[in-house]
Amino acid sequence: MPFPIHRPRRLRRTEALRSLVREAKLTRDDFVLPLFVCSGTNVRREVSSMPGVFNLSVDETAAEVSRAFDMGIRSVIVFGLPEAKDEIASGAYAEDGIVQRALRAIKKSTPDVIAMADTCLCEYTSHGHCGVVRDNDVVNDESLKLLAKTALSQAEAGADVVAPSAMMDGQVAAIREALDNSGFEHTPVMAYAVKYASGFYGPFREAADSAPAFGDRRAYQMDPPNAREAMREAQLDYEEGADILMVKPATVYLDVLRMVRERFDCPLAAYHVSGEYALIKAAAQKGWIDEQRVMLETLTSIKRAGADIILTYYAREAIKALG
Ligand code: PBG
């Protein structure tokens, strides 16, 4: 008879006891703060569907990173809004591209921050797809060349980590090879290995101006019902040399996150994406939920499911809440 010998409530009586037996704890080292860099100077434009998230010019980005670092943020990931877009995403790998300039400014003002670069083409192509388009199709192998060029130019501009998110087959191998051939064998690749074609990216596409002009991304991002296929994606990226694997979005794919955690012994990241952030913000603005409590519960669930690293627009608020 387990009861009355066993009383789980014994260890819940005080905050000190709860803290003693707490399993998953968030720390400031867990978080990566995403940033959206745009052209101009002194630009700070709030993204309407993401309260508290801004399009920042390069100067403002550098200042923002330095302030964030002072309050405990250890890593940022940079997305770019280029001035011009074309069929071959020239802005993604231009030496003076928006992300390249931002990386240099960030590393100059805050050398110790981990500056990650999202390696994708959708923000830079006129059609908004993540690769080269021919006959309404995203051509895989040709896109690899541009992705490799982009990662290399990001590393040259000072990126500490490159993070391919285009979901092209072979992108990790192509990037690893390009980096190794140019003396960047120490630059880690954080692979968006398991990235679903998700409605939760909606607000991001406003923030990064990257909505596809036709069709959608279902022919390259993963089909949401599939979890076994996620293991295959993770395995391929792992074999191609990914240093960190990522699952994205986070909360509606916690089962997948846990499966990747159990199978792969490399660091695991989860992206708490724009839509997941926007849902909490919107409900909080209506006074329907306690924002801080729901934020911490959500981020903790991602950690509990197995993530070592959490990319989230809440990074700053989470660190503040942790004290
Ligand atoms: C680039 C990219 C996207 C996100 C991260 N990298 C958008 C997309 O795939 O459409 C989404 C991040 C978010 O929603 O916060 N391909």
Side-chain angles (χ1 to χ4, degrees):
M1 269 272 278
F3 179 83
I5 306 295
H6 291 283
R7 291 178 182 270
R9 288 184 56 185
R10 282 185 201 120
L11 293 174
R12 292 181 203 141
R13 278 183 49 244
T14 65
E15 174 51 26
L17 281 168
R18 289 191 293 274
S19 170
L20 179 72
V21 299
R22 191 159 290 146
E23 298 173 32
K25 290 188 190 178
L26 295 168
T27 77
R28 66 171 194 184
D29 301 315
D30 301 338
F31 301 115
V32 182
L33 176 68
L35 296 168
F36 299 101
V37 191
C38 63
S39 57
T41 46
N42 291 320
V43 180
R44 247 190 114 71
R45 198 169 47 228
E46 194 164 28
V47 179
S48 67
S49 52
M50 300 175 75
V53 176
F54 296 81
N55 287 168
L56 302 170
S57 48
V58 171
D59 55 323
E60 288 286 334
T61 300
E64 184 85 354
V65 172
S66 144
R67 277 192 300 270
F69 189 77
D70 288 344
M71 58 127 352
I73 295 281
R74 290 289 160 259
S75 316
V76 297
I77 184 161
V78 184
F79 297 89
L81 289 88
E83 259 169 77
K85 304 183 188 231
D86 60 25
E87 293 273 305
I88 51 166
S90 309
Y93 42 84
E95 207 206 320
D96 64 346
I98 191 77
V99 159
Q100 287 76 2
R101 286 195 284 132
L103 288 167
R104 282 189 212 101
I106 290 168
K107 292 309 286 186
K108 194 168 167 202
S109 72
T110 317
D112 294 332
V113 77
I114 299 169
M116 303 183 171
D118 181 84
T119 307
C120 198
L121 306 176
C122 58
E123 296 125 57
Y124 308 90
T125 48
S126 38
H127 44 69
H129 278 287
C130 303
V132 179
V133 168
R134 193 155 308 122
D135 300 329
N136 280 359
D137 187 33
V138 178
V139 188
N140 194 85
D141 300 13
E142 233 173 282
S143 304
L144 294 182
K145 295 192 188 91
L146 302 187
L147 288 165
K149 252 167 105 163
T150 302
L152 180 57
S153 89
Q154 291 169 336
E156 281 167 350
D160 297 300
V161 176
V162 294
S165 67
M167 288 300 280
M168 294 299 121
D169 294 333
Q171 62 182 10
V172 172
I175 287 170
R176 186 71 272 156
E177 190 190 348
L179 292 174
D180 291 357
N181 287 342
S182 298
F184 290 99
E185 62 275 7
H186 295 302
T187 302
V189 174
M190 176 168 77
Y192 288 71
V194 180
K195 179 176 177 179
Y196 287 94
S198 171
F200 285 92
Y201 307 150
F204 172 95
R205 292 180 186 171
E206 181 204 337
D209 185 26
S210 69
F214 65 89
D216 54 39
R217 305 208 202 290
R218 286 177 226 252
Y220 43 106
Q221 297 180 347
M222 278 187 58
D223 199 20
N226 294 2
R228 284 195 306 265
E229 187 191 351
M231 299 306 106
R232 186 144 182 259
E233 281 285 4
Q235 179 77 38
L236 291 169
D237 281 11
Y238 185 76
E239 284 169 5
E240 287 176 31
D243 299 280
I244 300 171
L245 293 174
M246 194 201 296
V247 173
K248 175 190 175 187
T251 52
V252 286
Y253 298 94
L254 289 183
D255 54 333
V256 176
L257 192 58
R258 168 49 63 106
M259 285 168 76
V260 177
R261 168 75 300 153
E262 283 171 359
R263 291 222 200 165
F264 299 91
D265 289 327
C266 63
L268 180 57
Y271 201 141
H272 182 242
V273 303
S274 57
E276 300 176 277
Y277 172 84
L279 293 187
I280 302 178
K281 276 282 171 201
Q285 282 185 349
K286 285 195 169 279
W288 290 349
I289 54 165
D290 174 340
E291 182 177 19
Q292 177 168 310
R293 191 169 168 186
V294 169
M295 163 190 76
L296 289 175
E297 191 173 331
T298 301
L299 297 175
T300 301
S301 76
I302 298 169
K303 182 107 192 227
R304 191 188 60 232
D308 305 295
I309 301 164
I310 304 172
L311 294 85
T312 176
Y313 304 96
Y314 268 125
R316 252 184 309 242
E317 281 145 286
I319 287 176
K320 259 189 229 146
L322 294 174

